[in-house]
Amino acid sequence: MSDRYRTLLLLRHAKSDYPDGVPDHDRPLAPRGIREAALVGDWIRANADGVNAVLCSTATRTRQTLERTGITAAVEFVDRIYDATPGVVIEEINGVQSRFGDEVSTLLVVGHEPVMSSLALGLADEESSNGTAAQQLSAKFPTSSIAVLRSTAPWDQWALRGAELVDFHTAR
């Protein structure tokens, strides 16, 4: 698999609700988020090779987003992704082989802002990346948005400026 691309999908959770008295970690999806999460799943199935593995924040809204996408790949819920920094998420990406084995070609990470946009822009090599996607992502990374990056590097070698940003999409 060393000469094939690995694809990373960075998904910001769908629109969440703000119920009174509910801690941030436990906030559920809003009705709009439930609808949009299904649209994200449709977009992933239409535009990305099959997702082999998922790293998902433990927050309620990220779990519900993943559930509503209909993606059925192997999942690890990772507490470190909630309220993370880009470096922490890169460490989790670097550990994909030890978690899921050698055959992961497409990884979905479901997380939060501001880390999803910072991570996508940090991983993207400016020269090879889609400039329009980078501009859109830089302006705003709305809920139910997904950044698509790819690289021939093994997961344990993914690092800043080491991937190509190929697409950015917001499911609405």
Side-chain angles (χ1 to χ4, degrees):
M1 186 164 178
S2 61
D3 60 346
R4 288 193 282 159
Y5 280 111
R6 282 160 194 79
T7 302
L8 175 64
L9 308 172
L10 297 177
L11 171 61
R12 181 180 179 194
H13 63 79
K15 180 70 176 165
S16 58
D17 206 352
Y18 294 87
D20 289 338
V22 175
D24 183 74
H25 188 273
D26 300 333
R27 288 191 297 118
L29 291 180
R32 184 181 108 193
I34 292 169
R35 181 180 57 81
E36 290 174 355
L39 295 174
V40 168
D42 292 344
W43 189 89
I44 290 170
R45 280 184 289 285
N47 293 281
D49 290 333
V51 173
N52 307 106
V54 180
L55 297 174
C56 183
S57 161
T58 56
T60 300
R61 60 193 177 274
T62 54
R63 288 174 175 261
Q64 289 178 342
T65 298
L66 176 59
E67 179 183 336
R68 302 281 188 297
T69 66
I71 302 296
T72 59
V75 179
E76 291 257 346
F77 295 99
V78 183
D79 193 50
R80 293 180 72 205
I81 295 175
Y82 175 76
D83 200 26
T85 63
V88 166
V89 181
I90 289 173
E91 287 175 9
E92 295 300 328
I93 292 166
N94 291 158
V96 163
Q97 285 175 279
S98 64
R99 278 196 159 113
F100 300 107
D102 291 333
E103 295 304 314
V104 176
S105 60
T106 302
L107 174 67
L108 171 63
V109 177
V110 186
H112 310 267
E113 268 298 278
V115 75
M116 292 289 103
S117 60
S118 297
L119 179 59
L121 293 170
L123 288 170
D125 171 60
E126 290 181 33
E127 289 183 26
S128 64
S129 291
N130 176 326
T132 302
Q135 283 182 322
Q136 292 171 337
L137 194 156
S138 293
K140 188 172 184 185
F141 201 118
T143 55
S144 303
S145 292
I146 190 160
V148 181
L149 296 108
R150 70 179 178 193
S151 174
T152 56
W155 293 114
D156 64 353
Q157 294 177 24
W158 276 59
L160 296 177
R161 305 288 175 246
E164 175 187 7
L165 174 65
V166 294
D167 205 353
F168 182 70
H169 176 75
T170 300
R172 295 278 191 264

